[in-house]
Amino acid sequence: MQKNDVFQTKNGLRVSYVEKPDFHKSYVGIGVNYGSRDLNFQLKGESITSFEGTAHFIEHKLFQMPYGDAFKEFSKLNASANAYTDLEKTIYYFTTTEDLYAPLELLLRMYFTPYFKKEDVEREKDIITSEIKMYDDVVESRFTRKILKELYPKSSLSSNVAGTVKSVTQTSFEDLNKAYQAFYTTDNSYMVIVSHEPREKVYQFVEDVMQSLSVNRGIPERKEAPLKIGSSFSMKANCEQTTAALAIRFSANQDSHLFCNFIIGLLDGLISPSTKYYNELYTKKAFIADIDYYVMTLRDTSYAVISTTSLHPKSFLADIEHKLKNLSKKDLDKVSLGQYIKHLKARSIRALDSVEELGEEILVLALENASYLDELEQSQSLQIEDFYDYIDYFRNAEYIQAICEKSKE
């Protein structure tokens, strides 16, 4: 793959192609820079507020085509298709070990030919609300949503990706059409293809299919609400053990698309099982099971959540928050940091041998206007000292302590 090797169709769709002549499997993914947080936008001068879960609803319905279910059509072509929606993007993709071109055309036609019939939309509501109710019954899911609502109060960032039973019930096929027209434009989309087929043949095929489609152009105009912070909280639920979680909201001044990796590396250097601080907490019986953590990076903010089960949740949370607010180089275990760097380098190289991993990584970064090759180059040259530059993000972050404990009922 050559640097900046991006083809653009005459009607605006950008396409990156990675030629893998020794691979039998092909991957094709197309993504839109539109997710569950994008509830407020402009369309032809009209200010619109979508119902929660609209992006996910469109993902479900886009597989409905005038002549039937696209999933079945992909299967007939011996291609395995799927899709997902998160806070900021929706991605549709397929893999195949056989003919590339027929499922590629199907994906493009499906993506750019919405078929939102009123009766089909009404039927889909039952499927989505059943999915929502299933997760509503899971304590961990409710706890996570409550954490997000305090990290980003009164913000679409804390909305449920699938929506609520009420919001899905209220969504009409006109609502889906308006959101589709605003966001599903060629200028707001990106396609990545990883295959053994000749590059120029693939590009010409995409161009020919795209010229046969009627597409929308333009960059959507979003309306973002100011970010606020909520409060620490405790909730009771039908659970067996008490969970303690420390939610950390970082500033928006992220200067690298590897920000997530830098934060995880620092957490590895502080609280992975081989570190001094982890063993101090273990000796104090501050937690029962291992300490888990994850990081999410978004276009204007990022956050991390550290959690564990604990008999002393308040002291655990107070201890680890104080440590992070006063984090210094001497708190970090260099061996753990070094192992994490090796893991990052190995993972990026390993992705080159997987059409799915490689294709999705390129697509996700492209939707963020970032280059996979630039990130690969940066990850391969990482040193422990590079992580120290990100310590101040913990010192300047905002913190929320959250506890989920067993109900007495």
Side-chain angles (χ1 to χ4, degrees):
M1 180 178 176
Q2 298 298 315
K3 205 164 187 176
N4 299 320
D5 177 25
V6 180
F7 168 75
Q8 187 167 19
T9 65
K10 292 176 182 176
N11 51 14
L13 178 65
R14 292 161 296 167
V15 184
S16 282
Y17 181 68
V18 181
E19 191 171 344
K20 289 282 192 178
D22 297 328
F23 281 44
H24 294 293
K25 182 183 283 188
S26 297
Y27 165 95
V28 179
I30 187 167
V32 59
N33 192 355
Y34 168 55
S36 60
R37 70 174 295 185
D38 298 308
L39 300 181
N40 301 292
F41 58 93
Q42 294 276 336
L43 179 64
K44 298 177 181 178
E46 178 186 3
S47 294
I48 297 174
T49 298
S50 294
F51 289 109
E52 191 174 331
T54 298
H56 176 256
F57 207 139
I58 291 176
E59 176 215 314
H60 271 237
K61 289 313 303 166
L62 216 56
F63 280 92
Q64 183 68 40
M65 301 184 73
Y67 49 82
D69 184 355
F71 276 117
K72 292 180 180 179
E73 298 302 314
F74 278 112
S75 182
K76 289 178 184 178
L77 298 171
N78 298 307
S80 177
N82 214 332
Y84 67 87
T85 302
D86 63 21
L87 277 167
E88 295 187 336
K89 62 184 175 294
T90 307
I91 287 178
Y92 305 81
Y93 63 94
F94 73 82
T95 59
T96 183
T97 56
E98 298 191 24
D99 175 62
L100 169 71
Y101 297 100
L104 172 54
E105 180 174 0
L106 174 60
L107 181 64
L108 286 168
R109 293 195 180 280
M110 182 195 85
Y111 185 88
F112 287 111
T113 312
Y115 187 66
F116 303 139
K117 291 184 66 178
K118 187 172 183 179
E119 56 269 31
D120 290 336
V121 169
E122 292 303 312
R123 279 196 295 268
E124 195 70 29
K125 290 180 180 180
D126 290 335
I127 298 172
I128 298 175
T129 54
S130 295
E131 180 182 331
I132 293 169
K133 290 175 182 177
M134 179 180 68
Y135 284 104
D136 283 345
D137 290 335
V138 179
V139 173
E140 293 81 359
S141 178
R142 297 205 308 274
F143 187 44
T144 298
R145 289 206 299 273
K146 174 64 175 170
I147 290 172
L148 279 176
K149 286 187 180 297
E150 294 301 330
L151 274 177
Y152 302 101
K154 297 182 179 179
S155 167
S156 57
L157 282 167
S158 63
S159 64
N160 186 0
V161 171
T164 64
V165 171
K166 182 179 180 180
S167 70
V168 170
T169 302
Q170 292 177 318
T171 302
S172 68
F173 76 103
E174 290 94 348
D175 296 323
L176 300 183
N177 267 310
K178 286 179 179 179
Y180 178 88
Q181 290 175 37
F183 290 100
Y184 278 73
T185 68
T186 53
D187 302 287
N188 197 43
S189 303
Y190 204 102
M191 173 171 269
V192 171
I193 304 170
V194 184
S195 181
H196 51 271
E197 290 291 321
R199 181 188 313 274
E200 294 306 320
K201 183 180 178 182
V202 172
Y203 283 158
Q204 186 60 56
F205 183 83
V206 172
E207 180 66 69
D208 291 343
V209 174
M210 288 298 294
Q211 288 306 305
S212 71
L213 299 173
S214 176
V215 301
N216 297 321
R217 297 293 306 266
I219 299 296
E221 183 181 344
R222 299 173 171 86
K223 295 180 68 177
E224 305 281 9
L227 295 181
K228 301 178 181 179
I229 192 75
S231 306
S232 296
F233 69 92
S234 178
M235 63 176 272
K236 295 185 182 296
N238 184 23
C239 55
E240 293 301 319
Q241 295 178 313
T242 296
T243 300
L246 183 66
I248 310 160
R249 200 175 84 180
F250 301 103
S251 66
N253 300 319
Q254 301 158 24
D255 56 1
S256 170
H257 283 278
L258 286 176
F259 180 83
C260 176
N261 303 115
F262 284 119
I263 296 301
I264 291 176
L266 291 175
L267 290 174
D268 264 14
L270 180 68
I271 52 176
S272 61
S274 60
T275 65
K276 178 182 177 182
Y277 181 60
Y278 178 97
N279 284 283
E280 287 176 1
L281 292 173
Y282 179 80
T283 301
K284 290 190 289 188
K285 298 182 179 179
F287 59 92
I288 300 172
D290 282 340
I291 304 173
D292 298 317
Y293 42 91
Y294 66 90
V295 180
M296 290 290 293
T297 55
L298 303 167
R299 55 180 173 248
D300 53 357
T301 183
S302 295
Y303 68 90
V305 178
I306 303 169
S307 63
T308 190
T309 52
S310 176
L311 296 175
H312 312 286
K314 291 182 179 179
S315 61
F316 169 80
L317 292 172
D319 196 323
I320 199 164
E321 180 177 338
H322 180 267
K323 175 64 73 172
L324 289 171
K325 283 182 174 179
N326 298 277
L327 191 64
S328 65
K329 295 179 185 178
K330 62 182 178 61
D331 295 315
L332 301 171
D333 183 86
K334 288 187 176 181
V335 174
S336 296
L337 261 177
Q339 289 174 341
Y340 180 71
I341 292 172
K342 289 180 181 178
H343 161 74
L344 272 183
K345 292 179 178 180
R347 188 183 69 181
S348 60
I349 293 173
R350 188 169 60 246
L352 296 172
D353 293 326
S354 167
V355 294
E356 295 97 328
E357 289 185 40
L358 179 60
E360 183 172 13
E361 185 74 12
I362 295 172
L363 181 52
V364 167
L365 286 169
L367 288 170
E368 298 172 357
N369 294 315
S371 164
Y372 171 77
L373 285 178
D374 288 346
E375 183 173 287
L376 178 63
E377 183 179 337
Q378 187 180 1
S379 67
Q380 292 300 307
S381 62
L382 283 177
Q383 302 293 326
I384 288 177
E385 290 72 20
D386 296 324
F387 287 77
Y388 296 155
D389 293 336
Y390 290 79
I391 289 175
D392 279 345
Y393 278 95
F394 283 102
R395 294 173 177 164
N396 300 324
E398 296 174 284
Y399 292 79
I400 287 176
Q401 297 182 14
I403 298 172
C404 181
E405 54 188 350
K406 186 175 182 179
S407 173
K408 293 181 180 179
E409 297 180 1

